[in-house]
Amino acid sequence: MKVEQNRVVSINYHLSEEQGELLEKSEEGIPMAYLHGHSNILEGLEAALKGHVAGDEISVTLTPEQAYGPVHEGAQQKVPIKHLAGKYKRLLPGMLVRVNTERGMRDAKVIKAGRFMVDIDTNHPFAGKTLTFVVVIRDVREATPEEISHGHAHGLGGHQH
Ligand code: ZN
């Protein structure tokens, strides 16, 4: 079965910077499941997977524009710690947090934290990077009507609710 619109695709992946530094990978033995054609993953990655079948291994390199965009200057700001989503025992430089901004929830990286205020950088951690994905397709199946209406995959490697 080919990767197409409204099919659930299970993948294992390695994500590295162009120079070779590993940034992220799926957990060993546990594929990640996504619903194809619903912007669950980066558009460029989705396009590269289309038409492939279980067992295929593909490698695709995306420019920052195709991935998480350029690094924005001025994306650093000081916010009250109480504007962070979730409770953090200690905020350490480099930690990833979610913050409530006027444009909604954003991922941000802690630069430094004081007692009540924290300096954060709201650039995506992979902003400005050229990324290479190596993906192995483990399984392709038809999505259920429920998955299509939710816009994401359920079950192993997908959303649990
Ligand atoms: Zn759902």
Side-chain angles (χ1 to χ4, degrees):
M1 184 177 284
K2 285 183 177 170
V3 173
E4 270 175 29
Q5 180 81 25
N6 293 337
R7 286 183 175 162
V8 171
V9 186
S10 296
I11 57 173
N12 284 114
Y13 68 94
H14 273 76
L15 167 58
S16 52
E17 266 192 89
E18 210 182 11
Q19 298 81 0
E21 192 201 341
L22 181 70
L23 297 172
E24 192 178 283
K25 66 188 178 92
S26 53
E27 281 181 71
E28 220 53 66
I30 306 172
M32 181 194 90
Y34 79 93
L35 179 59
H36 193 85
H38 290 256
S39 304
N40 290 178
I41 60 173
L42 292 171
E43 198 181 314
L45 184 55
E46 209 165 40
L49 286 164
K50 189 175 167 143
H52 283 278
V53 296
D56 284 359
E57 177 175 317
I58 63 149
S59 171
V60 59
T61 297
L62 303 177
T63 63
E65 290 67 34
Q66 294 170 313
Y68 294 99
V71 173
H72 291 289
E73 300 300 330
Q76 301 197 352
Q77 47 185 284
K78 196 183 269 292
V79 299
I81 286 173
K82 64 180 185 211
H83 286 189
L84 300 185
K87 296 261 173 273
Y88 301 94
K89 262 207 180 105
R90 264 184 92 193
L91 292 167
L92 299 170
M95 251 174 85
L96 296 179
V97 292
R98 284 181 72 70
V99 62
N100 219 341
T101 72
E102 59 274 23
R103 284 171 297 168
M105 293 297 261
R106 286 294 199 91
D107 288 313
K109 192 164 73 181
V110 174
I111 301 164
K112 66 180 166 66
R115 215 168 141 201
F116 301 108
M117 302 293 283
V118 57
D119 290 333
I120 56 167
D121 183 338
T122 56
N123 279 303
H124 190 282
F126 302 156
K129 294 187 194 299
T130 296
L131 302 175
T132 298
F133 289 86
V134 176
V135 181
V136 180
I137 300 173
R138 300 296 181 193
D139 184 58
V140 183
R141 64 168 170 83
E142 296 290 355
T144 64
E146 196 190 26
E147 287 174 318
I148 293 168
S149 78
H150 286 198
H152 55 228
H154 291 160
L156 189 67
H159 273 251
Q160 316 279 348
H161 49 167

